[in-house]
Amino acid sequence: MNEATDTQPRSAELYAQAQRVLPGGVNSPVRAMRSIGRDPIFIASGSGPVIRDVDGNEYVDWVCSWGPLILGHAHPAVVAAVNEATARGTTYGAPTEGEVRLAEQVAARIPSVEMVRMTSSGTEATMSAIRLARAVTGRDKILKKVGEEATETVMAGKDGDPKKIVYEVADLWFHSMIALAQFGLSPADVIRELERREGLSGLEEFALRKSQQRDGEPKK
């Protein structure tokens, strides 16, 4: 057990069990907590803004299920609504009145939304977006970004491991070359852009670009 899990013995036990039946012991790589140098914490319950692990430790939940839990965990009104819905049936694999009402609410509250396609995962949402883009543009090719090289490069820099930095920069450079080739560009185009930015920080360049966009001026 590493030092980070000394106060979570039950989490450590569950992690050992999980590694026997789940790849890496988790169902999503980010849950492995490797980037912060510790083993995963197993959660037992949540109430309002607080979650509790299986060892009884409490934490403020800043994740909130990546957005949906704007009312916190186990809000009485939400629990009542879920209980009422599940009492009528669990899931049907067919259209329901509820999804029509939800789509109407989304469209009514967000002026730019005309229609809604609800999916069970980001993968399905992306597939629908690609099909729509192909239909609208008449184009078949798509440019797919693999991984989060920029983020990984920054994290490697924080770790201070030279080999890891070279590895991540190589990934970033490789996929950048693919993107350039897709549009008939080359490293020379990037070098010219860097020369244009000489003397500017990244923040200054970003602010300048935003200002030009607001003013409707062409980028010089």
Side-chain angles (χ1 to χ4, degrees):
M1 185 187 304
N2 63 39
E3 184 177 351
T5 58
D6 284 347
T7 58
Q8 291 100 14
R10 180 56 181 151
S11 278
E13 291 175 6
L14 286 172
Y15 184 45
Q17 290 178 237
Q19 290 181 87
R20 293 195 289 269
V21 289
L22 299 171
V26 291
N27 279 308
S28 173
V30 71
R31 298 181 187 180
M33 298 188 176
R34 296 285 176 83
S35 63
I36 58 174
R38 59 156 301 139
D39 290 339
I41 299 169
F42 282 69
I43 303 303
S45 64
S47 177
V50 176
I51 53 176
R52 299 169 190 83
D53 67 20
V54 290
D55 292 286
N57 301 296
E58 294 189 345
Y59 315 85
V60 174
D61 184 6
W62 294 101
V63 179
C64 295
S65 195
W66 289 270
L69 298 185
I70 58 175
L71 297 178
H73 292 272
H75 189 282
V78 175
V79 172
V82 171
N83 287 339
E84 180 185 346
T86 53
R88 295 195 301 268
T90 310
T91 182
Y92 312 106
T96 64
E97 180 182 350
E99 64 195 276
V100 178
R101 291 168 56 193
L102 176 58
E104 288 175 340
Q105 285 291 317
V106 172
R109 293 167 185 262
I110 305 176
S112 61
V113 173
E114 297 177 358
M115 302 187 79
V116 179
R117 166 60 62 89
M118 287 175 273
T119 66
S120 297
S121 68
T123 299
E124 293 173 274
T126 301
M127 291 171 62
S128 295
I130 290 172
R131 293 178 67 184
L132 177 61
R134 282 175 166 168
V136 171
T137 64
R139 300 174 183 175
D140 289 328
K141 292 183 179 180
I142 63 170
L143 179 63
K144 182 178 182 294
K145 181 181 181 299
V146 179
E148 295 290 342
E149 286 76 28
T151 302
E152 294 296 336
T153 301
V154 171
M155 295 304 295
K158 290 182 177 180
D159 291 343
D161 183 344
K163 290 183 179 180
K164 189 174 181 181
I165 293 172
V166 171
Y167 178 86
E168 297 298 347
V169 170
D171 273 354
L172 179 60
W173 181 253
F174 176 75
H175 290 108
S176 296
M177 293 294 290
I178 293 175
L180 290 171
Q182 179 72 20
F183 296 97
L185 301 171
S186 71
D189 295 292
V190 178
I191 292 173
R192 281 192 291 273
E193 173 63 12
L194 290 173
E195 290 173 344
R196 184 192 68 77
R197 296 187 187 189
E198 187 174 0
L200 292 175
S201 69
L203 288 174
E204 289 171 324
E205 168 62 23
F206 180 78
L208 177 61
R209 190 160 58 243
K210 282 291 185 181
S211 176
Q212 290 172 340
Q213 289 173 353
R214 284 195 300 268
D215 297 340
E217 297 176 4
K219 183 178 177 182
K220 297 179 181 179

